Amino acid sequence: MAEYKGRVLNKGQVSGDVLLLDEPLSFWGGYDPETGVILDKQHPQVGLVMTGKIVVMPGTRGSSGTPGVLGESLRLGTGPLGLILNKGDINVTAAAMIVSTLYNIDCPVIELDVDAFAQLVDNIPLSISLEGQVTQ
Amino acid sequence: MIVHFLTDIGGDFIMVNLSEYDRRLLSGDEGKAKQLAMQVMVRAAEVSGVDRLVDVSMAHVNSCFYSGQVGVDFAEFLLKEGGTVAVPTLTNVGLIDLLHPDLRPEKSNQEAVQGARKLMAIYEKLGCEVVWTCAPYQLKERPRLGDQIVGSESNAVSFYNSVLGARTNKYGDFLDICAAVTGRAPYAGLHRDECRRGEVLFRVEGVPAKLREEDIFYHVLGIILGRESGTSIPVIEGLPQSVNEDQLKAVSAAGAASGSVSLFHAIGITPEAASYDDAFQGGEPVRVVDVTAEMLTTARDMLSHANSGALAAVCLGTPHFSLTEFAKLMPLIRGRKVNSKVNFFISTSRFILADVEKQGWLSELEDAGVRMVVDTCTYFTPVVNGVEGRVMTNSGKWAYYAPGMLDVSVVFGSMEECVESAVQGTVWRDERLWDSEFWGGE
């Protein structure tokens, strides 16, 4: 097991299996908040489900609609348990902060440096602490 | 208090220098809504790696567009906890046309229509000027060169930055209204001089002068900028002095739709590009693209799935039709009749619609069989959604997006072609415009 210290963009404590995305995703238009399924046909992980997973992703793309779609998914309980990014992303962060305040659903958003980020492995368990400690 | 806030979230952030005002909002003395909105702005500054916020003079927000209950819940939270807007705030389009409810009957999707109506009502109560338009730069009051503002809708962000020289990043859901509620935004990206420097030069001097006078050229050029620029800032060299705001709107809309252009410069045209040196801030482009006939026709042909056949609808006004576009349309459509098999829609704002009515044009348009759509966009209108078959548009943005959003086949053409095709009921092409020589080809 290895431990990495990340920057906490939104605070939360979770553990679960990793879903690793190979490319950035636009939640708006590329993701179904009702089902948690990745819809973007151009995306390598199209068809996979985020629900209950810790999603490790290299950021979001494009649309200003992204925070609303991610926020709706977290509200519905179809979204990821937590998110780990390799660079700061204000869209994902804003969605998680709003959902924490409105519904007391704490979806941690952690930024790891690129070297640590590259060590994370798909499909196996990972945990995130309140202080941003990532263990896998 | 501030130290507490920062240690509370952990991590090694850059320290954001906060004003007295920022601190007061963070303390909660002005209510929970202002507190959360300021927390979001400070966190956005931290995530962006900048050490201060900047005052903004106005905002144009997209969070009023219904995309789920979370947006309604957040708006209700703001309203209940004292989160009215701190600066003049204009609303982007909503999901529904409030003036013409028959365009989206409640039974089409009860939850969404009721949610949208509720959301739009709350944004009015938050103190927004409810203009419901994606082209707020067509209103009489607009930001000036150098103004720090907040934009959200992609074409408006590009027009504000490029054509007016105001300064904004593209703010997503929640972030735009949090900026409006605080009147502050992270001093990052396009808010800063050094981030507005042109990077990629697009030369269009080789494009036939006649083509550069046509509106369709600007839609196609926008598509090229979007696809070629990536996250770089494009600079266009060689636009004629005759270029007008409707044409620059087309570049803004198509460039933002097909890529992520939030700012472009046009040398000798746009306010931060009086000269080549101004556009590149004394530097040189990292890449030069000579726009060729082949690039133009490839981009143009991406926008059309057909060049002939029966037509089901015409959609004009993406972004919202301007008064000058109506002025250009009137002589083409006056006294004519849209074919009974064709639905002809024009999207605009209720303010432009009022001007159209004042000119006496509305009744002429209705007599010709044209339907007006306000407050929203034709993509989101089930009446258009129900259309099957070919839809013609003069908008590069509409043509680029519609195939992914509606089950239609798209034909891109000039305004004249749209009108003539609507009257005939089948796609009509102006041979002069589609001749390969006209595009600089053999």
Side-chain angles (χ1 to χ4, degrees):
Chain A
M1 253 199 262
E3 290 203 354
Y4 312 96
K5 177 76 178 81
R7 285 212 302 177
V8 181
L9 310 189
N10 192 60
K11 197 165 64 172
Q13 183 172 10
V14 294
S15 45
D17 284 345
V18 164
L19 170 62
L20 196 140
L21 305 193
D22 293 322
E23 286 177 14
L25 176 75
S26 171
F27 279 88
W28 193 85
Y31 173 81
D32 181 0
E34 305 276 334
T35 59
V37 174
I38 296 170
L39 299 176
D40 180 353
K41 291 190 181 121
Q42 308 299 324
H43 198 280
Q45 276 73 43
V46 62
L48 298 186
V49 180
M50 288 197 187
T51 315
K53 298 289 178 73
I54 294 175
V55 173
V56 176
M57 65 189 293
T60 57
R61 257 196 323 180
S63 168
S64 48
T66 274
V69 173
L70 176 59
E72 181 69 358
S73 173
L74 293 172
R75 180 187 79 84
L76 292 168
T78 60
L81 281 181
L83 285 152
I84 299 178
L85 309 165
N86 60 359
K87 59 175 186 279
D89 182 309
I90 63 174
N91 285 320
V92 164
T93 305
M97 288 176 77
I98 299 303
V99 167
S100 291
T101 304
L102 291 180
Y103 311 113
N104 289 316
I105 298 168
D106 291 322
C107 172
V109 180
I110 306 296
E111 179 188 349
L112 282 185
D113 69 54
V114 283
D115 295 336
F117 183 86
Q119 300 299 314
L120 302 182
V121 183
D122 199 10
N123 272 322
I124 65 168
L126 176 150
S127 65
I128 298 172
S129 78
L130 287 174
E131 292 73 35
Q133 203 75 21
V134 172
T135 309
Q136 188 184 36
Chain B
M1 180 59 70
I2 300 323
V3 171
H4 168 74
F5 171 68
L6 289 172
T7 51
D8 186 40
I9 61 168
D12 323 302
F13 286 111
I14 190 166
M15 183 63 121
V16 178
N17 297 308
L18 301 163
S19 68
E20 280 298 310
Y21 170 81
D22 299 336
R23 291 200 175 95
R24 194 167 72 246
L25 265 54
L26 280 177
S27 75
D29 287 353
E30 305 264 334
K32 285 184 194 165
K34 299 245 170 198
Q35 182 180 36
L36 176 60
M38 184 56 84
Q39 284 172 349
V40 170
M41 284 300 110
V42 173
R43 186 70 50 82
E46 291 166 341
V47 170
S48 308
V50 297
D51 66 356
R52 72 180 178 97
L53 304 177
V54 64
D55 282 336
V56 295
S57 59
M58 58 86 63
H60 175 241
V61 296
N62 184 56
S63 292
C64 55
F65 185 89
Y66 179 86
S67 60
Q69 184 61 32
V70 68
V72 179
D73 291 344
F74 184 55
E76 279 181 331
F77 169 83
L78 291 177
L79 187 62
K80 181 162 154 268
E81 304 294 345
T84 50
V85 295
V87 293
T89 300
L90 308 171
T91 49
N92 189 22
V93 293
L95 182 64
I96 54 175
D97 178 338
L98 295 171
L99 293 188
H100 308 110
D102 56 308
L103 286 171
R104 193 177 190 105
E106 214 160 278
K107 63 177 180 341
S108 66
N109 183 341
Q110 197 172 350
E111 195 182 316
V113 172
Q114 287 177 356
R117 192 168 289 137
K118 194 168 178 185
L119 188 63
M120 290 166 86
I122 298 172
Y123 272 81
E124 185 160 15
K125 287 187 191 145
L126 290 173
C128 296
E129 293 170 38
V130 287
V131 295
W132 311 124
T133 183
C134 55
Y137 45 79
Q138 289 170 181
L139 297 168
K140 286 182 184 68
E141 289 223 3
R142 51 191 206 170
R144 298 203 172 91
L145 178 63
D147 285 357
Q148 299 286 359
I149 65 165
V150 166
S152 53
E153 203 282 338
S154 67
N155 101 84
V157 165
S158 181
F159 193 97
Y160 276 145
N161 274 317
S162 313
V163 184
L164 302 185
R167 298 179 169 215
T168 178
N169 294 311
K170 188 171 75 176
Y171 290 94
D173 292 337
F174 309 130
L175 290 154
D176 56 2
I177 187 65
C178 286
V181 161
T182 57
R184 304 275 282 165
Y187 187 51
L190 295 178
H191 290 289
R192 304 170 75 106
D193 285 339
E194 67 272 23
C195 299
R196 300 175 67 84
R197 188 172 73 79
E199 294 167 304
V200 180
L201 178 64
F202 289 80
R203 292 202 289 228
V204 301
E205 289 103 331
V207 176
K210 283 272 177 228
L211 179 59
R212 279 183 275 161
E213 287 168 13
E214 295 290 335
D215 293 345
I216 51 172
F217 168 68
Y218 293 88
H219 295 269
V220 172
L221 178 62
I223 299 288
I224 292 172
L225 294 189
R227 292 174 61 84
E228 294 280 332
S229 301
T231 55
S232 302
I233 294 171
V235 176
I236 312 164
E237 186 173 55
L239 292 189
Q241 284 301 314
S242 63
V243 68
N244 60 48
E245 282 202 359
D246 293 323
Q247 292 167 336
L248 295 173
K249 172 173 88 166
V251 176
S252 302
S258 64
S260 54
V261 177
S262 287
L263 165 65
F264 66 89
H265 300 296
I267 296 169
I269 307 288
T270 57
E272 290 168 69
S275 68
Y276 180 98
D277 280 346
D278 286 348
F280 293 101
Q281 294 184 7
E284 289 296 326
V286 295
R287 191 158 69 92
V288 178
V289 178
D290 281 306
V291 175
T292 62
E294 194 193 346
M295 287 169 72
L296 287 164
T297 49
T298 302
R300 177 197 75 189
D301 294 343
M302 276 177 54
L303 301 177
S304 283
H305 302 164
N307 281 310
S308 61
L311 196 62
V314 169
C315 289
L316 306 184
T318 302
H320 280 171
F321 230 43
S322 69
L323 195 61
T324 47
E325 287 173 307
F326 276 108
K328 189 174 175 188
L329 174 69
M330 290 316 297
L332 300 172
I333 203 158
R334 185 171 284 129
R336 312 203 61 191
K337 278 273 183 237
V338 171
N339 187 286
S340 62
K341 293 200 176 75
V342 177
N343 290 287
F344 194 129
F345 297 101
I346 304 178
S347 315
T348 188
S349 69
R350 45 174 81 193
F351 298 91
I352 301 289
L353 182 63
D355 286 342
V356 166
E357 204 167 358
K358 231 179 276 169
Q359 298 284 340
W361 296 341
L362 183 59
S363 54
E364 292 182 292
L365 288 165
E366 285 171 350
D367 289 347
V370 174
R371 290 188 77 180
M372 309 298 282
V373 178
V374 299
D375 299 344
T376 186
C377 179
T378 42
Y379 307 124
F380 309 125
T381 307
V383 173
V384 181
N385 228 322
V387 166
E388 282 175 18
R390 258 168 231 112
V391 181
M392 198 158 179
T393 181
N394 71 339
S395 160
K397 175 171 177 165
W398 203 94
Y400 193 86
Y401 272 152
M405 303 180 79
L406 307 170
D407 191 17
V408 296
S409 147
V410 179
V411 184
F412 170 71
S414 69
M415 190 190 287
E416 293 86 340
E417 289 176 313
C418 288
V419 172
E420 196 56 40
S421 301
V423 170
Q424 295 189 11
T426 60
V427 175
W428 174 82
R429 282 303 196 193
D430 178 348
E431 294 303 331
R432 184 183 67 97
L433 286 186
W434 298 89
D435 187 85
S436 75
E437 239 174 75
F438 192 76
W439 293 77
E442 300 294 305

